[in-house]
Amino acid sequence: MTQFTHIIKDEIGMHARPAGMLAKTAKPFASKITVTAHGKTVDATKLMALMTLGAKCNDELIIAAEGEDEAKAIDALKDFVE
């Protein structure tokens, strides 16, 4: 498993648009990709699941991937959040 931590910088937090873009970025990969915030872990390919995290500005997200293409998935997700 490969993972990284990201601090949300958007003043609005993770609202529908960035959550949808994150899910779209995660979908093409075979690896299982998860996002954790506030002790809750959800599937990164599910928009509604990402919204349930309630991630706000300055919250920490842990984005993890496990599977055959986890390195590529993590690189793509790092590029997305930056």
Side-chain angles (χ1 to χ4, degrees):
M1 177 166 36
T2 306
Q3 67 181 30
F4 69 97
T5 301
H6 173 72
I7 304 296
I8 297 177
K9 295 177 180 82
D10 188 327
E11 291 180 9
I12 302 171
M14 190 187 319
H15 52 91
R17 184 175 298 170
M21 292 169 60
L22 176 63
K24 186 176 180 179
T25 302
K27 278 188 194 259
F29 297 100
S31 295
K32 179 179 179 180
I33 302 170
T34 59
V35 178
T36 303
H38 307 291
K40 182 176 179 181
T41 301
V42 299
D43 184 337
T45 64
K46 308 289 185 194
L47 170 63
M48 295 309 292
L50 290 168
M51 297 298 297
T52 66
L53 291 174
K56 308 238 182 284
C57 186
N58 295 319
D59 284 353
E60 179 181 274
L61 299 179
I62 300 169
I63 301 173
E66 185 172 7
E68 61 191 56
D69 57 357
E70 65 186 46
K72 287 182 184 178
I74 289 294
D75 287 343
L77 291 163
K78 278 184 182 177
D79 288 344
F80 168 74
V81 296
E82 292 173 2

